[in-house]
Amino acid sequence: MTEKDRPLLARPEKDRPWVMRTYAGHSTAQASNELYRNNLSKGQTGLSVAFDLPTQTGYDPDSVMSTGEVGKVGVPVPHLGEMRHLFADIPLTSMNTSMTINATAMWLLAMYQVVAEEQNPDLTPEEVAAQLAGTTQNDIIKEYLSRGTYVFPPEHSLRLISDMIAYTVHQIPKWNPINICSYHLQEAGATPTQELAYALCTAIAVLDQVKESGQVADEDFEKVVGRISFFVNAGVRFIEETCKMRAFVELWDEITRERYGVQDPKMRRFRYGVQVNSLGLTEAQPENNVQRIVLEMLGVTLSKNARARAVQLPAWNEALGLPRPWDQQWSLRLQQVLAFESDLLEYDDIFDGSTVIEAKVAELVAGAKAEIDRVQAMGGAIAAVESGYMKEERVSAHAARRARIEEGQEVIVGVNRYETTEPSPLTSDLDGAIMTADPRAEQSARDSVEAWKAQRDEQEVAAALAALAEAAQGDENLMGPTLAAARAGATTGEWAGTLREVFGEFRAPTGVSGAVGVAEAGTELTAVRERVRATGDELGGRLRLLVGKPGLDGHSNGAEQVAVRARDAGFEVVYQGIRLTPQQIVSAAVAEDVHCVGLSILSGSHMELVPAILAGLREAGAGDIPVIVGGIIPDSDARRLAELGVGAVYTPKDFGLTEIMGGIVDAIRAANDLD
């Protein structure tokens, strides 16, 4: 028998692969639409929409709060016209779309539904809604804890979530109305136990709220549970991450069965999507990020019984700035090689029967149950947010992790070990290694809003917003009035502004005052403490540091850790949390008579916001206060900021917090001619 005649060996039938997404959106709706269609043509099987911070926090592009933020970390969608542009030539009734949107999730879902209706004029709105599939993230509790794009107080935010869940269960049955999101908890330093516990406490709070609202009949409550999905993180410790996912499966099955009486195993299934860890991606030797991403992907795909339903991977250069289309393609290809070239999907769960895996899962389950019990004893997740407990625990865990990295106990290759490197062709042109958001995006968005308002019926808009406000004051489901406002032509800022008037706004606890910092000071921190004390003596009092986050960037992890370490180093720290205007920061610096202003900006708006603060300090007669800046800042921008008078610029490669404290002392001494 020749080789040609030899029968081919049959291979096992493969499971269907997970939905493959790339988190994307930037500059304008038209540019983002082109990016989406290009990614779909490369084999991406679902969309994951990144919205810019004004859209996420309910401001129009012409709001003072939006200055410098439009189109920077996502796409601006201030009205229905831009939602049409965003999904032009993408049939929404056959697409699976994930939208990373929380406080304004109801509004974005309403516009998405209306665009789908317009794409299908031959179908009734009910028929269109029944075909829509996708997810709105819509987890506001983790926003209070880690990401900062909240708007309304907790009880009103839960009402919006509950109304959306009730509406989608009845009208959009294939839609996941909430993604309980532990992703940002891990990004902000939470331990696996905290990630498990706080995400599940959030799910309990949401399900309890839906049940208490009375909008879903008891016989339909299983459908609510069955539409709850999760969005998780996977770090580089992929054995632990595999066990964490198996622990999630076990705990969710137990909670839904015992607390809510769900009998159907399919409705108790732990359904989740994943974005692997961006926190662990490094600016130093960024080529190492590729193998980190692969290991993290394995943590959520190797175990069949706990495999992700959808995966999106960051790009190798996300610690440097905004990924280019080629970088996103590379991340998509990583998924495709694993799913289609490897034999991963041909086997049952390869960890079943492993005593090592079983022991680690049991340890995580026990720890998570104990923490869930603590939170529930406080009154549940909302009470633990308002008291600051969960935030303080998360900030403390992050402080401990940072200390381990600085001390070398936790190795980061290329950062605190094996730092010697050959020049990388990937970063030979740093400014060309990332994509820059279109600088004309903000003006384009402003022009779009102006043109939109000029062609709409103002009386119809006013009536729709008045009806929304009236409904918000009662207990009517707000999805109906929200759809009416979208159809009338209201803007994102008008919808959110109407509800702000009724619900008010909220500032979550910072978690800094009660956080535990460095327990024992080593030689380096002791030396910095002495310099802080001595410099304060020379200037006639304790050194005061203002830590400020201007703009809409709510990722406060870095600012919190700087504030905690500065307190450990002996500074008096003034930290007022997120979402401050340049004028508020200037006013605080003057009122508190600080010796230094430290700014944290990760949204890419540093070239607009920092100069405004420098100018404000000069106008207030405080131009001699040194200003330092931290964030994801390209080298060319760092040089420009230095030319404008910024004392120092720190980026993710500067992981040594104690070193940064020394740099702050240097800046204060230089500004006061002490050396």
Side-chain angles (χ1 to χ4, degrees), residues 165-411:
I165 290 173
Y167 174 81
T168 55
V169 164
H170 297 309
Q171 303 295 327
I172 318 181
K174 293 192 288 185
W175 194 268
N176 301 318
I178 185 170
N179 231 200
I180 306 295
C181 185
S182 72
Y183 172 84
H184 297 96
L185 299 177
Q186 187 183 111
E187 285 285 285
T191 66
T193 297
Q194 290 172 333
E195 190 181 345
L196 285 161
Y198 298 163
L200 293 170
C201 283
T202 297
I204 290 169
V206 168
L207 289 173
D208 285 355
Q209 173 73 19
V210 174
K211 193 171 262 297
E212 291 169 11
S213 76
Q215 297 188 74
V216 178
D218 289 343
E219 59 269 22
D220 288 332
F221 196 73
E222 282 197 346
K223 297 178 185 177
V224 173
V225 175
R227 295 318 306 173
I228 299 291
S229 64
F230 289 76
F231 187 66
V232 306
N233 205 331
V236 75
R237 294 169 56 83
F238 78 96
I239 299 298
E240 184 173 64
E241 295 297 328
T242 296
C243 294
K244 181 186 74 182
M245 299 321 307
R246 291 169 75 95
F248 258 130
V249 169
E250 183 176 324
L251 286 162
W252 185 240
D253 185 78
E254 181 179 312
I255 289 169
T256 54
R257 185 180 67 253
E258 295 185 2
R259 186 181 180 95
Y260 299 107
V262 178
Q263 299 302 308
D264 185 347
K266 290 182 179 178
M267 296 294 104
R268 299 199 306 267
R269 185 177 299 153
F270 183 79
R271 299 177 309 112
Y272 76 98
V274 65
Q275 158 108 4
V276 306
N277 192 312
S278 296
L279 174 68
L281 303 185
T282 63
E283 181 182 5
Q285 299 180 28
E287 62 274 11
N288 295 338
N289 292 333
V290 177
Q291 52 264 35
R292 292 185 179 109
I293 291 167
V294 170
L295 286 171
E296 291 163 355
M297 176 172 53
L298 290 176
V300 294
T301 55
L302 280 179
S303 178
K304 180 178 180 180
N305 294 339
R307 183 171 292 149
R309 299 279 289 269
V311 177
Q312 57 193 46
L313 303 181
W316 69 275
N317 56 350
E318 288 203 13
L320 304 176
L322 191 65
R324 301 158 299 186
W326 182 85
D327 307 314
Q328 294 186 334
Q329 174 183 298
W330 192 357
S331 290
L332 176 61
R333 296 295 185 245
L334 296 179
Q335 292 199 58
Q336 291 169 330
V337 168
L338 179 64
F340 301 115
E341 291 191 29
S342 85
D343 58 353
L344 173 68
L345 298 177
E346 296 174 9
Y347 295 94
D348 287 334
D349 199 299
I350 62 175
F351 294 113
D352 282 351
S354 166
T355 55
V356 173
I357 296 292
E358 288 174 1
K360 185 62 179 178
V361 171
E363 175 192 324
L364 290 170
V365 166
K369 282 184 175 180
E371 187 64 11
I372 290 170
D373 288 345
R374 272 190 287 275
V375 171
Q376 294 306 114
M378 295 175 188
I382 293 299
V385 164
E386 293 173 336
S387 70
Y389 168 75
M390 288 199 290
K391 184 70 177 268
E392 289 174 4
E393 290 294 299
R394 196 272 299 156
V395 173
S396 296
H398 198 182
R401 177 180 182 272
R402 290 298 299 252
R404 291 195 302 273
I405 293 172
E406 289 184 61
E407 292 165 8
Q409 296 174 9
E410 188 168 319
V411 174

Side-chain angles (χ1 to χ4, degrees), residues 28 107 120 122 192 241 367 472 505 557 578 603 672:
T28 66
W107 175 246
N120 296 274
D122 297 335
E241 295 297 328
E505 293 192 72
N557 313 330
I578 64 172
S603 64
N672 289 277

